[in-house]
Amino acid sequence: MKRLLLAGAALALAPSPALADTLFENVDGISITPEGKVKRFAAMVVDDEGRITELLDFGDGPEGEIDYLEDMKGAHVVPGFVDSHTHVMALGLGTMTLDLSQTRSLEEALALIADYAAKYPERPWLLGHGWNQEQWGLGRFPTAAELDAAVGDRPVWLSRVDGHAGWANSAALAAAEITAETRDPVGGRILRIGNGREPAGVLIDAAMAPVDAAVPPPLPEDREQALFAAQNIFFEHGITAVADMGTSLADWMAYRRAGDAGWLQMRIMAYAGDLDEMLLIGGTGPTLWLYDDKLRMGGIKVWLDGALGSRGARLKAAYADDPGNMGIDVISGTQLRNIMSRAALDEFQVAIHAIGDAANAEALAAIDELAAEYPGERRWRIEHAQIVDPADIARFGKHDVIASMQPVHMTSDRLMAEARLGPDRLTGAYAWRAISQAGALLAFGSDAPVEPVDVLAGLATAISRQDAAGEPEGGWIPDQRVTREQALAAYTAAGAYAGFAEGRFGSLKVGERADFVVLDSDPLLTSPEELRNTRVLQTWVAGRRVFPAQ
């Protein structure tokens, strides 16, 4: 039944016959460069391959013959949004598992888990995501015993909102053979009961691997359904291209099947989760762009440390709320350099996950060392760059490092970051403006499903340093706000540049694909509050409307 549903959905999204030259007129359009330089236009001509052949000013007419006309009725048109850090398959699979992201207490979460178990008695494992002990005001991590009280008859495995910790019940721990004798793995930590050795139920970073390995993997048709769901979510929010961080071989094959079948319409810049899979997929270097610029394996995502919420982010000094803990090195500095060197040897791009200030310093040092050995257009990326020692910020500009950051992390993490770091270590926290002024190109994303897919909320956060409630008044560390033009560029043209896709999409200029979003307000003229309330009316890819579905 699932296959039939997917097949019907795929037919609905299959590209329509090739268009001849189409004039999109009566447009309030914005073209933008990666640096944030804006050009306004009133119309554009798109050829039968979905490429822009002309941008027209007010009062100008097209040079050639026009076959079709689209009257946009004065609509606000911007380039299709580029989410520069997301997890496509995790987002899609998340729609098929239990979502705990909206729970506000442990009791609410446990009740939801029990209801879910009752709803699906046939499932051998219960899987979910999105829990956050900080949001619950718990002051500690939840336990296996608490989870056992809700579901004890089969394994339950729930990933934390940041994906860097998992919560298991006793059955899941037993399935993974995690006991009091199990040692903490390199790059991970098993939380224990009191001062003893018994596993408490939460596993951090590399310690999650045994449970992940015990979970039955998704079937190929599950991945296809997940991709279809994720694509619809992205289109609904005006996102036409993404950087998929941690693409597995199974993910890649699902993308290829969708492309072969003709229903892959979003653009995926894929970064493999490890060297082996990068080399299996890419072979001797990045793949060609496939399916008319829809898919490319271009590099590798390297995990250097954990996350702030699970106290796995690697810090230069101990956590203010956990003395003695300085976080986790998921890999060593030597391993990082070896991975970077092997990837760079075959021209693969390197994207380094670094959240804590010690991890960012290590990533910057490694880039500095390898830049001389591997010259040329490398576009080294640091993903997140959430906490950076102010003394290290200038190093972002030395080798034109791309800072791939997620504005909404700031609003979600603000109070937690204050608790984790203390008031004296916040100067380099989510320091978008300072990192940009140092010479780094900003590429913004969501980190979905860690955060919701919502570019407009990200734009509002980037220019205000405030959350949806307008807190804190005046903005959190307000001197790190960026301009509207910088923010829009970071969600469009700079995101394409960060994935070596400039000239293909991202800017709305002659020669690029006509990927664009129709909004009900001008994002460069509206207030942060108005931005959050702005609606995506239409999403177009290569001159074909993909949202709402035609």
Side-chain angles (χ1 to χ4, degrees), residues 132-135 139-141 160 162 307-313 315 317-323 325-326 387 413-426 430:
N132 184 351
Q133 82 284 358
E134 298 293 328
Q135 190 167 274
R140 59 173 175 82
F141 284 102
R160 192 181 183 278
D162 55 15
L308 204 60
S310 53
R311 296 188 183 88
L315 301 179
Y319 281 83
D321 59 356
D322 189 10
N325 179 15
M326 297 173 67
I387 310 299
D413 294 355
R414 174 174 61 88
L415 297 177
M416 178 188 66
E418 292 174 350
R420 296 286 188 270
L421 300 172
D424 299 328
R425 296 160 62 190
L426 296 174
Y430 313 85

Side-chain angles (χ1 to χ4, degrees), residues 16 22 60 66 86 104 124 151 167 191 215 270 286 327 345 438 464 470 478:
S16 56
T22 301
D60 291 347
I66 297 300
T86 191
R104 292 296 181 267
V151 182
W167 178 20
L191 298 192
V215 174
L345 187 66
S464 70

Side-chain angles (χ1 to χ4, degrees), residues 163-227:
H164 286 269
W167 178 20
N169 69 352
S170 296
L173 292 172
E177 299 182 349
I178 296 174
T179 68
E181 285 70 45
T182 306
R183 295 184 177 183
D184 287 356
V186 175
R189 183 181 301 132
I190 300 170
L191 298 192
R192 313 283 178 171
I193 297 175
N195 295 321
R197 295 287 303 167
E198 287 294 329
V202 168
L203 312 172
I204 296 175
D205 289 313
M208 300 165 64
V211 184
D212 287 335
V215 174
L219 298 172
E221 53 264 39
D222 294 329
R223 291 185 184 276
E224 292 167 15
Q225 189 75 21
L227 173 59

